[in-house]
Amino acid sequence: MNSSGSNLAFAEPYPYASTVGIGNSFSEPIGGIFTPDKSKWVDSEQEAKSLAKIPLMIPAETVLPGDPKYKLNSPVNGVIEYTIDGVLITVHIFDEEGYGETYESAWDDLLSSIRDRYASLVKREQGLSPPDHIVLCELRRYLSEAAQ
Amino acid sequence: MTVDEAKDAFTGKLGAAQDKSGKHIFYCFKDSGSDYTVGKISHSWTGQLNDTQTGMLAKKLCLQKQEFENWVGCTLENDEMLKIWRNRRPTYIHLTS
């Protein structure tokens, strides 16, 4: 067990890339020491433990795939969370997450999640609850149609 | 817990509507006339849910992971789950000038 009381052995500080302006190009931690060993994982509460949390800025002009395509008008803050199962990227302002076994798959899931949530909320706009209405307002503020 | 068991809980126990948008299924629950997004499952999820996926589903319902598992596993009654959700769900106060 290390000094922080964790059973995980990390080099500290975490050798990750700068989180400003990263997007599709960010795929792996710099240094490549992030190798969770599931066989050594001790989790008495069976909760999904976060191995590392890193702030993320999703850059403006990031395109959400689909038809029609949308793009971000301005940067959005998020959090990358590495768990024993994979990678979780959360954008609180949109109340959405992307999950995958790798950073790339989590990133792809996040972008399609944001687009799908927007489509879902627009369809259900009449009668939305206050929290969902606020998410829809934020999505409308941050998204615009991208050129095809 | 499997993906299908979680889906059945949303539609069967809770009576949530499914909205299939793109690559995801959103679960929408009407409470006092308002439509809440209470769950999201990716079409790519199959078989057993891992801890992270279960945690994601629990979070959308404002539950702890164990509470969500108990609800899906029928050891937490639906009415009890709804009490917890109504108590914890986000509330917003709109200030007007």
Side-chain angles (χ1 to χ4, degrees), chain A residues 130 133-134, chain B residues 92-96:
Chain A
H133 180 72
I134 287 171
Chain B
Y92 295 89
I93 300 169
H94 294 276
L95 300 175
T96 55

Side-chain angles (χ1 to χ4, degrees), chain B residues 7-25:
Chain B
K7 287 178 177 176
D8 288 346
F10 279 115
T11 54
K13 280 188 220 291
L14 186 59
Q18 291 184 89
D19 177 27
K20 295 181 180 179
S21 286
K23 296 181 177 177
H24 300 88
I25 304 169

Side-chain angles (χ1 to χ4, degrees), chain B:
Chain B
M1 182 198 316
T2 67
V3 176
D4 287 343
E5 286 169 342
K7 287 178 177 176
D8 288 346
F10 279 115
T11 54
K13 280 188 220 291
L14 186 59
Q18 291 184 89
D19 177 27
K20 295 181 180 179
S21 286
K23 296 181 177 177
H24 300 88
I25 304 169
F26 291 92
Y27 291 92
C28 317
F29 178 64
K30 275 203 190 296
D31 193 46
S32 303
S34 286
D35 190 351
Y36 291 82
T37 304
V38 292
K40 180 194 78 173
I41 290 179
S42 169
H43 287 307
S44 66
W45 291 8
T46 56
Q48 290 287 328
L49 291 168
N50 62 38
D51 284 349
T52 303
Q53 291 167 325
T54 306
M56 290 168 70
L57 292 172
K59 186 180 157 198
K60 278 268 195 281
L61 264 177
C62 309
L63 299 177
Q64 294 173 3
K65 181 172 157 284
Q66 186 62 58
E67 291 169 336
F68 182 78
E69 288 171 337
N70 291 345
W71 174 63
V72 174
C74 298
T75 54
L76 177 65
E77 293 290 330
N78 199 57
D79 287 349
E80 285 300 309
M81 188 281 289
L82 281 173
K83 269 187 206 168
I84 296 170
W85 172 70
R86 288 184 179 118
N87 195 40
R88 293 180 188 164
R89 70 188 176 194
T91 55
Y92 295 89
I93 300 169
H94 294 276
L95 300 175
T96 55
S97 56

Side-chain angles (χ1 to χ4, degrees), chain A residues 7 9 11 18 23 33 39 44 61-62 65 71 87 101 113 134 137 142:
Chain A
N7 288 317
S18 163
I33 65 156
S39 67
S44 60
E61 303 295 322
T62 297
K71 67 174 182 179
V87 182
E101 290 184 356
S113 288
I134 287 171
C137 289
Y142 277 92

